[in-house]
Amino acid sequence: MIAADQVVTRLAARLRELAAEQLGRCASWEHRARCQTDLLDAAAILDAIRGADDERRAPVQAEHNRAVPFPVGTIAWSEHVEAWEVYARRFGRGQSAERMAERGGFSMLELCSFLGRPPRTWRPA
């Protein structure tokens, strides 16, 4: 028999996979963003239930001036550093990952660009 913690972990991982798959399936950006947000919110709830809240988090800026607004949130520090490493290769190391977080973090669009996918650990602030 599989332990409840393993089921929750697998379910959260699958929800994140589904959110990433939404990038190519939905006809409109608005619908795609809504689907991704719902799936990522569900994954974050499962993580909280599982107790995955122990890791340090980095802020994610809201998207206000886009066709599809995105709320303020956070991502796991490890995912923030992963995005920052791509940022640093493209734009230099003038700002550390720590400084980037102090200044409000990346936006969702920047994260998707740097990671090549939606962040897996995003959750609303």
Side-chain angles (χ1 to χ4, degrees), residues 5-6 8-13 16 40-58 74-79 120-123:
D5 189 48
Q6 290 174 322
V8 171
T9 300
R10 287 181 185 173
L11 184 55
R16 287 192 184 86
L40 291 171
D41 285 350
I45 290 167
L46 290 172
D47 282 343
I49 290 169
R50 186 172 43 111
D53 230 357
D54 298 337
E55 187 179 3
R56 181 179 175 190
R57 312 257 334 143
T74 64
I75 58 172
W77 184 256
S78 58
E79 198 163 34
R120 294 186 176 114
T121 60
W122 183 87
R123 70 174 147 227

Side-chain angles (χ1 to χ4, degrees), residues 40 60-61 63 70 106-113 118-119 122:
L40 291 171
V60 175
Q61 296 177 16
E63 296 282 351
F70 208 89
F106 295 109
S107 72
M108 181 56 75
L109 291 177
E110 289 172 321
L111 286 169
C112 290
S113 172
W122 183 87

Side-chain angles (χ1 to χ4, degrees), residues 63-111:
E63 296 282 351
H64 297 291
N65 300 323
R66 304 279 181 214
V68 181
F70 208 89
V72 171
T74 64
I75 58 172
W77 184 256
S78 58
E79 198 163 34
H80 172 76
V81 170
E82 181 184 345
W84 177 83
E85 288 171 351
V86 176
Y87 166 87
R89 281 194 299 274
R90 286 187 194 169
F91 303 109
R93 297 179 176 271
Q95 292 187 76
S96 66
E98 187 74 39
R99 181 68 179 134
M100 217 36 136
E102 289 171 0
R103 298 187 69 211
F106 295 109
S107 72
M108 181 56 75
L109 291 177
E110 289 172 321
L111 286 169

Side-chain angles (χ1 to χ4, degrees), residues 9-29:
T9 300
R10 287 181 185 173
L11 184 55
R14 181 63 184 134
L15 286 168
R16 287 192 184 86
E17 288 172 12
L18 290 170
E21 290 172 11
Q22 287 300 319
L23 281 174
R25 289 194 179 165
C26 297
S28 72
W29 278 101

